[in-house]
Amino acid sequence: MAYNLLKGKKGIIFGALDPNSIAWKTAERVHEEGGEFVLTNAPIAMRMGQINELAEKTNSQIIPADATNEEDLKNLVEKSMEILGGKLDFVLHSIGMSVNVRKGRHYTDENYSFTEKGWDVSALSFHKVMQSLYKAEAMNEWGSIVALTYMAAQRTFPDYNDMADNKAYLESVARSFGYFFGKEHKVRVNTISQSPTPTTAGQGVKGFDGFINYAEKMSPLGNATADDCANYTVSLFSDLTKKVTMQNLFHDGGFSNTGVSQEVIDEFSE
C-alpha cells in the first residue's frame, strides 16, 4: 500500500544489484511512494547485476560511479541534480564488500591490502559520499541520508570477519558527519542495523544459512526481510522522522535486545 510519503522528493540510491538486494527493494518502494531517484553502482557491479531492469521499472536513470573515487562521486552528485532538477532529499548507501571473505582469508590471517580495499568500499565510501554531498551543498533541508549496517559492529560474529570492523567505522562516520550535516544544513544521517538478509553479498558469508536460522529463533518478531527494511528506509526518508539523526537503528525483530530465546533454550536442553 502506498501513502505518497515521498511525493516530490528526489535522491540517489547506491548499491542496487539484483532483486535480492535491499537497495533494489528500497528503490521499488521509494518509486511507489512517489519519490524520484538516480540509481548508481560501480561499473563492475553493474555488469554483474540487473540494474537496467530496475531503472526501466522505476523510470530512473543510471549513473555509473565508483563510490571510493572522489571524482566519480563529484560527477554523480552534479549529474543527479541536473537530471532530477534540483537538490536532493534522500540518499541510500547500501554498499559492502570484503575481499578477505571472498578469498577465504581468516580474521587472524588477513591480507591487509584486501582489508584496506574492503574498508574503502564498505565504510570510508560513506564518508566520501557525504563529503561530496556536503561540499556541493546538494541536500535540501530536512533531507535524509541512510546507510545499512549490521550488529557485528557491536558484537562478535566469528565468520563476519573484517566486515565487522568496517561496519563499526561506518556507524561512527554516520554519527560524526551527522553532527555537521544536522548543525549546518538540517540534514539527518542514520544507519539501519538490519537482520541477516539473504542478499547476494550476505550469502557470501561462511555459515550464513545456519546463522540466519539462529537469528530467526532468537528474534521475538522473526528476522526483518529486505522488503521490511525497504519500508523502514522509506519512513526515514519521509518527513515523519525529521528529528531522528545520528542514530544506529536496530531493525532486527528484537534480536539485538534478546539474551536468549525459549526456542534456543529448547534446542540445547536434554
Side-chain angles (χ1 to χ4, degrees):
M1 184 179 293
Y3 304 93
N4 279 328
L5 288 175
L6 303 180
K7 186 176 181 180
K9 294 191 180 296
K10 309 171 191 299
I12 302 173
I13 295 179
F14 287 79
L17 181 67
D18 57 42
N20 293 320
S21 66
I22 292 172
W24 184 292
K25 301 290 189 185
T26 302
E28 290 179 327
R29 285 294 292 119
V30 169
H31 178 66
E32 289 170 5
E33 292 295 341
E36 299 175 64
F37 48 84
V38 163
L39 294 165
T40 186
N41 214 329
I44 187 170
M46 290 176 62
R47 290 195 296 272
M48 293 166 57
Q50 304 159 274
I51 195 170
N52 290 320
E53 177 188 325
L54 179 63
E56 185 176 345
K57 182 177 182 180
T58 59
N59 194 30
S60 305
Q61 292 194 44
I62 304 167
I63 302 176
D66 177 352
T68 67
N69 184 294
E70 292 175 73
E71 282 303 311
D72 276 14
L73 290 172
K74 183 174 183 289
N75 177 65
L76 170 66
V77 171
E78 289 175 356
K79 285 194 172 179
S80 294
M81 288 194 289
E82 286 177 18
I83 290 167
L84 296 170
K87 292 188 177 185
L88 309 174
D89 301 292
F90 61 85
V91 175
L92 175 65
H93 178 285
S94 181
I95 307 169
M97 181 274 294
S98 167
V99 186
N100 281 308
V101 169
R102 285 185 182 178
K103 300 288 187 181
R105 298 295 294 256
H106 193 269
Y107 188 76
T108 59
D109 184 36
E110 288 189 12
N111 176 315
Y112 292 122
S113 65
F114 293 170
T115 306
E116 289 170 8
K117 178 63 176 174
W119 168 70
D120 197 11
V121 172
S122 305
L124 187 61
S125 66
F126 191 39
H127 192 286
K128 291 178 180 179
V129 166
M130 288 197 285
Q131 184 166 288
S132 299
L133 294 164
Y134 186 88
K135 286 185 173 181
E137 297 187 3
M139 297 295 295
N140 279 319
E141 283 197 354
W142 305 111
S144 176
I145 302 170
V146 172
L148 299 182
T149 185
Y150 183 58
M151 72 173 302
Q154 289 83 32
R155 298 185 188 178
T156 301
F157 295 88
D159 292 324
Y160 205 63
N161 209 302
D162 58 333
M163 278 301 297
D165 304 329
N166 295 337
K167 292 301 189 186
Y169 188 94
L170 178 90
E171 292 175 17
S172 180
V173 167
R175 289 187 295 271
S176 298
F177 222 122
Y179 173 83
F180 296 105
F181 242 138
K183 195 77 174 172
E184 297 172 31
H185 297 289
K186 294 291 186 290
V187 172
R188 55 204 197 270
V189 181
N190 296 289
T191 53
I192 296 175
S193 189
Q194 169 70 2
S195 293
T197 309
T199 61
T200 301
Q203 292 178 67
V205 177
K206 182 182 175 184
F208 183 80
D209 288 342
F211 180 51
I212 199 169
N213 291 335
Y214 168 74
E216 180 73 23
K217 288 181 181 294
M218 277 284 289
S219 307
L221 297 179
N223 290 330
T225 66
D227 286 309
D228 293 329
C229 190
N231 286 328
Y232 193 39
T233 304
V234 164
S235 76
L236 290 173
F237 286 166
S238 79
D239 291 335
L240 299 177
T241 52
K242 286 173 71 170
K243 293 299 179 75
V244 180
T245 195
M246 300 164 63
Q247 302 300 308
N248 180 45
L249 301 161
F250 289 100
H251 185 249
D252 59 8
F255 181 93
S256 51
N257 274 331
T258 302
V260 68
S261 67
Q262 189 61 50
E263 289 87 346
V264 171
I265 292 172
D266 292 343
E267 189 79 22
F268 289 94
S269 297
E270 294 182 356

